[in-house]
Structure formats: C-alpha cells, structure tokens
Amino acid sequence: MDHPKFKAAAIQAAPVFLDLEATIDKAVALIEEASINGAEVIAFPETWLPGYPWYAWLDAPAVWLAKFGQRYFDNSLEYGTPQAERVAQAAKDNNIMVGMGLSERSGSSLYIAQWIIGNDGKTIAQRRKLKPTHVERTIYGEGDGSDLSVWDTNLGRVGGLCCWEHLQPLSKYAMYAQNEQLHFAAWPSFSLYEGGAYALSGEANVSASRVYALEGSCYVLAPTAIVSQEMQDELCETDLQKTLLPTGGGYSRIFGPDGKQLHESLPTDQEGIIYADIDLGTISMAKAIADPAGHYSRPDVTQLVLNKTVRRPVIETAPAEQTARHPAIGSHPHAAAETPYLDTASAELEGTEQVTQTH
C-alpha cells in the first residue's frame, strides 16, 4: 500500500495590513518560494487576507468601527472575484495545494474563513469558523455544521480549524472521527496582551496545535502571522495600545501525528517559511496506540451527534427546477450545488451524523 509522502510549508509573516491587493502579491510570492523549495502544500495564518482585526481588542466598537470598519470590509476577499482568481491561479501555476486564511466577504457580512485550493487551482473546500471568539463576534458571522468536514485529496484527507476552534472538544472530535490526516490549523499572531493574558500566549496556543496532532494522530500545519511595525503604527495611537499589541508574535509550527515538532522554530519576530517532510504512512503507527474514534473509543458510553446540514437564512419553497437557477440567499459557496433545498423546518436535521466520542 502506497502512502503519500511530500514536503509541507507553513507561513510566518505579516500581511500588508488592510491592503488586499498587496497582501495577495505577497501571498503569491510566498507560494512561489515554497514551491521552488519543493513544498507540495502551504498553509497561511488566520484571516491573513487582509490581516487580523486587532483593533477590536484595543478600543470600543464605536471608535474602531468608524476608523477601520469600511476599509476592512472592502479589503476582505470575496470568492469568484479577480482577486480570488489570482490566489487560485498561483496554486495552479506552482502545482501546490494552498490553505489560505481569509476574512471572507459574502453579501454584506464577513466570516473568518479557510480556503483550501488544490494544486490544479480548483477549490477543495471553503469553510467558515463556527463561532467567532469573544470580540470577533462584533465583526464576523458564524459557520455551520457543514464546516466540520474532511475532504479527500491527492495529499490525503485534509481539514481545517481556526484559532480557538482548537479548544472546542466536540468540534475537534468531529474532525478526528472523519479520519483527518493533514490539518490546517490557522492562527493569528500571539503578541496581544503579552504577559497579561496567558490564554492568548504563544506557549498556550502552540500547545493546542500540538495536542490536536497527538489526539487526532494527524499532521498539523499551524501557521501564525506577525504583527509588523507598520501594523502597530497603523493600529496603535497611544502608549497603552502599543503595550497591548507588541510587534512580533510569530509561532508557526508543523507537528507530526505523535505530537513531535518537525522543524526548527523561527524567531518570533522573523518572517519566513518553515518546512517539514510528511509521510502519511506513520499515522497508522500512531493510531495503533490510540485511535480516538476507532479501537480506543467507547460508543456504548459516549457519542457525538454531528449535524452537518447547511443552514440558510431563507428557505425557498419554489419547485426544484427554479431553485436550481436561483441559489438561496446566504448559501455557502462550497455547498450551494450539493445540498438540496429544505422545505420544512423539521428537515434541518437531515444529514445528521452520529459519531462516537471517548471520555
């Protein structure tokens, strides 16, 4: 039996904050660099396009919304646009799978999203963070159960989660149970409230990525961004704000299915790309010891119900041939053509999966 073996890359770099076009330019250059160095997959940080909205952690919404709200919305990425096509084309031109972290613009709403693009430039998945964390909920909407999915690719079964989704035990277990082999763990930088909130620190959150690899017996690509001096200058007007958001914060990592780090770390203030060799054949050895949704589970004791139904704000009741021509408002781009329209409220549980869960 042949198991895929390949080189993986994870980014540690700052975006060109609030400049979508310039950040895509930078992304394309990093994709090209990784491909030249032999990587077949590359992972980008959370909302790297056009940058994480740190301003939400630094001031009241009434203040930051007036200053940054419109700019952030306008520079978020909408699927199907020329800007999105540039990212997809870079994946194709460089024969590399791309896991891009982005602020997704859909209609008049924003979502924390991950876009997995195959080496042929075609979309594998477009998922959204199920629940934005804390102040993120003043900016972003929510995903749904369809976003807890794993997809078959030429590099194995891939999936992704954003930031503190890695602290959600049930969401993690839903992913483990789908035999995930390569995981995109998208994180922002870890400099916010440095020394004052350990839960936000690099040490704490890198541990979450490592635990995910160990629990799920999978490879984890965990890129992080950096807060550049330019970003701090843009976001921080007072000495207090500069103290709350120092520069740096880069902690990009790649972990193996036994939890081992597979590379040397970059300094926390240094931009670059980290690389690691992946051999999916080693996963069976890790799971021989503890397969959380297989031989090491106890479905007679605990189980997880996973509802993967796509949730829409509008349910159309027109005949099928009409709804096929007019997709429902707010539908996920990756699911619009796959999931039948619901014509009764009770049908919302259609497609629910029951998954075993151990203690």
Side-chain angles (χ1 to χ4, degrees), residues 54-310:
W54 292 113
Y55 49 78
W57 298 84
L58 300 176
D59 216 325
V63 176
W64 62 251
L65 184 61
K67 184 174 181 180
F68 296 107
Q70 188 69 61
R71 290 172 61 195
Y72 196 79
F73 180 86
D74 290 347
N75 282 278
S76 294
L77 184 70
E78 181 178 352
Y79 295 127
T81 60
Q83 292 83 1
E85 177 57 30
R86 289 185 61 204
V87 180
Q89 190 64 43
K92 181 178 180 179
D93 290 345
N94 292 281
N95 192 32
I96 189 171
M97 181 186 294
V98 175
M100 178 58 69
L102 64 141
S103 171
E104 176 198 346
R105 187 177 74 237
S106 179
S108 297
S109 293
L110 299 178
Y111 301 88
I112 296 174
Q114 288 169 286
W115 184 16
I116 304 175
I117 309 165
N119 63 343
D120 57 0
K122 296 180 180 179
T123 293
I124 295 170
Q126 294 168 340
R127 73 169 301 270
R128 294 169 177 171
K129 188 174 183 179
L130 264 70
K131 190 76 171 181
T133 303
H134 197 46
V135 298
E136 291 174 357
R137 293 196 283 273
T138 64
I139 300 173
Y140 301 107
E142 300 179 345
D144 59 39
S146 69
D147 296 303
L148 291 180
S149 294
V150 175
W151 295 270
D152 283 314
T153 76
N154 63 316
L155 300 183
R157 290 182 57 76
V158 304
L161 295 174
C162 289
C163 198
W164 270 18
E165 288 188 301
H166 295 90
L167 302 188
Q168 291 279 12
L170 301 184
S171 294
K172 292 195 298 178
Y173 192 78
M175 301 294 286
Y176 301 158
Q178 296 175 70
N179 193 31
E180 187 181 27
Q181 296 174 302
L182 183 65
H183 178 74
F184 292 97
W187 297 91
S189 56
F190 299 133
S191 64
L192 182 73
Y193 303 170
E194 195 171 68
Y198 183 78
L200 303 179
S201 69
E203 185 177 33
N205 290 286
V206 165
S207 297
S209 293
R210 187 191 298 271
V211 167
Y212 192 98
L214 185 60
E215 284 184 343
S217 300
C218 62
Y219 285 92
V220 172
L221 311 182
T224 63
I226 285 178
V227 175
S228 65
Q229 186 61 60
E230 291 77 13
M231 290 174 65
Q232 189 191 63
D233 292 343
E234 174 77 17
L235 291 165
C236 302
E237 297 180 344
T238 67
D239 290 339
L240 174 59
Q241 289 177 331
K242 292 177 182 179
T243 300
L244 295 176
L245 186 67
T247 58
Y251 287 83
S252 294
R253 300 287 189 272
I254 299 176
F255 295 109
D258 58 356
K260 182 180 179 181
Q261 183 173 322
L262 302 179
H263 58 90
E264 294 295 325
S265 302
L266 294 173
T268 59
D269 60 350
Q270 179 178 319
E271 293 197 341
I273 306 176
I274 57 173
Y275 298 93
D277 292 323
I278 307 296
D279 179 0
L280 297 188
T282 63
I283 290 176
S284 61
M285 299 302 295
K287 286 195 172 182
I289 300 172
D291 184 352
H295 65 79
Y296 201 49
S297 66
R298 283 294 304 274
D300 58 317
V301 179
T302 55
Q303 292 182 318
L304 170 66
V305 176
L306 172 59
N307 181 3
K308 296 180 76 171
T309 304
V310 175

Side-chain angles (χ1 to χ4, degrees), residues 331-356:
S331 61
H332 277 36
H334 67 281
E338 300 175 1
T339 306
Y341 285 83
L342 308 179
D343 56 8
T344 66
S346 62
E348 289 185 350
L349 289 180
E350 182 183 339
T352 297
E353 299 180 11
Q354 202 164 41
V355 179
T356 59

